[in-house]
Amino acid sequence: MFDFSTPVDRHGTWCTQWDYIADRFGSADLLPFTISDMDFATAPCILDALQQRLQHGVLGYSRWQHEDFLGALRHWYLQRFNAPIDTSMAVYGPSVIYMVAQLIRLWSAPGEFVVTHTPAYDAFYKVILGNQRQVLPCPLQKVDNDWLCDMAHLEALLARPQTKILLLCSPQNPTGKVWSQQELEQMAELCERHDVKVISDEIHMDMTWGAQRHTPWSQVARSPWALLTSGSKTFNIPALTGAYGFISDDSSRESYTLALKNRDGLSSPAVLAVAAHIAAYRHGEPWLDALRGYLQANLAYVAERLNLAFPQLNWQPPQATYLAWIDLRPLGIDDRQLQQVLIEREKVAIMPGFTYGEEGRGFLRLNVGCPRSKVEAGMDKLIAGLKFVLENQ
């Protein structure tokens, strides 16, 4: 019904992943598995909604505070997570990371601490440090195919007088961890105990696999909180811009909105993003369910190829996201030597784990949000590169 196998040529479309690969990897002729967008066209229902809006012809200032948008959010949370959501708490912004930055400024002062689990999405480090706050890392521990948080260590970090915020990634990027409801409830209790506010980035919420289920932070929250997300990852529409969230207390929500409008001069949302979210959340489920099946098959293929070539890896797909977080530590390979071989010899770009902090050393993050033929080519190149390094180290 939906075609995810036919490649779409993204060259010449001002595409970060394909047209600007040299910015990060120093070479333009690489096969990229990098930034977390997908090589698929978005859902037909979204394209239809955008065409209909464009045919109207007038692209003036717009709003998001209406039942068409808010009702679509409530519908999605009930359908996908069995979670009622209070849309009177809703806020909007151009991106999730922009909204994270706003709340970091609102809920902490320069020099104060923001706790986050590591390895962490690289933009987390940037947004914390860029706002003159300090990163307080809480390393996750790999146990079989799960990543566990040492709750006693987390509490010690939250108990520090200068700790003001827990910046949570749920599901977690890059590890693909899905937080259990019990883990979330324990974190909520600890944050309430130590008067720490929570910002939960849930942009990967729709991409959990198997028996894993995403629990929105709103279902467990106790201390002041914000849940921030977007349909951009799920439906591959980040270029439209646009994110939304929920802020629990009236005062913080009002302060966020005032900063958005008065300090930063942002008031009118991108109307195509609003239209896209409404279409996605009302009509996009069949496309998403088909996509989820395709992505899971891609991840299973990566596991099959890797473990056939290197049985000692025993790599298993992540619990969530279309980002294969590959633990290469059993091979004892030098990260930077591997990157040099992948780029210069194999002509492939795969994100090195150290991009995501010290705890990411020895890992790769490979994006499988693409046709199987591209995944196959990427695995050929990765396996060849690994074998070359092993033979020459």
Side-chain angles (χ1 to χ4, degrees):
M1 185 177 178
F2 301 106
D3 179 11
F4 301 110
S5 295
T6 302
V8 178
D9 186 3
R10 301 181 68 188
H11 288 105
T13 62
W14 315 300
C15 167
T16 298
Q17 184 165 188
W18 289 85
D19 289 331
Y20 300 100
I21 192 69
D23 290 354
R24 187 187 287 266
F25 289 86
S27 180
D29 59 340
L30 306 179
L31 184 66
F33 297 87
T34 55
I35 193 169
S36 57
D37 68 359
M38 296 184 282
D39 289 332
F40 309 124
T42 191
C45 65
I46 294 177
L47 295 175
D48 290 344
L50 297 180
Q51 289 288 353
Q52 184 177 346
R53 187 64 186 81
L54 287 172
Q55 286 171 7
H56 180 265
V58 180
L59 298 174
Y61 291 116
S62 187
R63 295 286 179 95
W64 60 269
Q65 303 99 323
H66 44 74
E67 183 58 22
D68 287 345
F69 182 74
L70 299 176
L73 301 188
R74 291 195 300 273
H75 172 78
W76 193 251
Y77 275 76
L78 280 174
Q79 288 290 108
R80 303 304 288 194
F81 312 118
N82 194 29
I85 196 80
D86 182 357
T87 50
S88 71
M89 296 181 178
V91 292
Y92 197 85
S95 72
V96 167
I97 288 297
Y98 168 88
M99 299 172 82
V100 169
Q102 286 280 28
L103 287 162
I104 286 175
R105 291 192 290 268
L106 180 63
W107 283 346
S108 65
E112 292 183 328
F113 297 157
V114 178
V115 175
T116 198
H117 296 96
T118 55
Y121 174 41
D122 52 326
F124 276 18
Y125 299 109
K126 294 173 184 175
V127 76
I128 295 169
L129 297 173
N131 282 288
Q132 294 81 50
R133 275 64 171 174
Q134 297 188 54
V135 178
L136 212 53
C138 183
L140 294 172
Q141 301 163 341
K142 188 172 187 284
V143 179
D144 298 325
N145 195 40
D146 199 1
W147 290 82
L148 302 181
C149 171
D150 181 339
M151 292 294 179
H153 181 59
L154 176 62
E155 179 167 19
L157 299 177
L158 297 174
R160 294 194 184 186
Q162 285 187 288
T163 299
K164 301 301 176 183
I165 296 168
L166 171 64
L167 177 53
L168 180 68
C169 194
S170 179
Q172 213 266 350
N173 176 15
T175 65
K177 175 181 174 57
V178 176
W179 298 97
S180 70
Q181 183 155 339
Q182 181 180 3
E183 288 173 314
L184 293 171
E185 288 173 348
Q186 193 171 356
M187 286 191 282
E189 181 183 351
L190 293 176
C191 288
E192 181 185 44
R193 183 183 305 167
H194 297 289
D195 193 25
V196 172
K197 296 178 174 64
V198 178
I199 304 171
S200 186
D201 174 352
E202 303 190 8
I203 201 165
H204 293 284
M205 65 188 186
D206 297 305
M207 297 295 184
T208 61
W209 312 130
Q212 303 295 330
R213 294 291 179 267
H214 174 70
T215 301
W217 184 261
S218 55
Q219 298 295 99
V220 301
R222 298 172 70 155
S223 59
W225 57 274
L227 186 168
L228 308 177
T229 191
S230 171
S232 61
K233 301 290 186 194
T234 304
F235 291 96
N236 205 34
I237 52 172
L240 294 180
T241 73
Y244 66 90
F246 308 95
I247 299 177
S248 62
D249 65 288
D250 295 343
S251 175
S252 293
R253 195 162 56 251
E254 182 180 358
S255 296
Y256 168 88
T257 302
L258 286 174
L260 185 83
K261 292 182 176 180
N262 296 351
R263 185 187 65 198
D264 294 351
L266 294 172
S267 57
S268 180
V271 69
L272 296 183
V274 175
H277 276 84
I278 294 168
Y281 286 174
R282 287 293 187 186
H283 309 294
E285 278 196 294
W287 181 88
L288 176 59
D289 290 339
L291 170 67
R292 285 165 49 83
Y294 194 90
L295 293 173
Q296 288 180 83
N298 275 355
L299 289 166
Y301 174 81
V302 170
E304 179 185 357
R305 289 289 308 276
L306 269 180
N307 295 333
L308 184 63
F310 307 102
Q312 63 269 49
L313 292 181
N314 189 29
W315 185 79
Q316 302 299 316
Q319 297 175 347
T321 81
Y322 49 82
L323 305 167
W325 184 239
I326 303 172
D327 187 355
L328 297 175
R329 292 176 298 177
L331 301 181
I333 287 176
D334 178 79
D335 289 358
R336 297 194 182 276
Q337 182 186 2
L338 175 61
Q339 281 296 311
Q340 184 177 7
V341 168
L342 292 176
I343 294 167
E344 296 177 4
R345 180 183 176 87
E346 299 301 329
K347 299 297 182 181
V348 64
I350 304 172
M351 297 296 285
F354 53 75
T355 303
Y356 310 99
E358 283 297 316
E359 292 82 7
R361 294 195 177 277
F363 291 80
L364 289 177
R365 197 191 80 168
L366 184 144
N367 178 353
V368 303
C370 57
R372 175 64 61 82
S373 58
K374 182 186 172 190
V375 179
E376 291 172 354
M379 293 309 299
D380 289 344
K381 292 174 178 293
L382 173 59
I383 290 169
L386 288 169
K387 287 182 175 179
F388 181 85
V389 172
L390 287 171
E391 291 166 1
N392 291 275
Q393 65 180 7

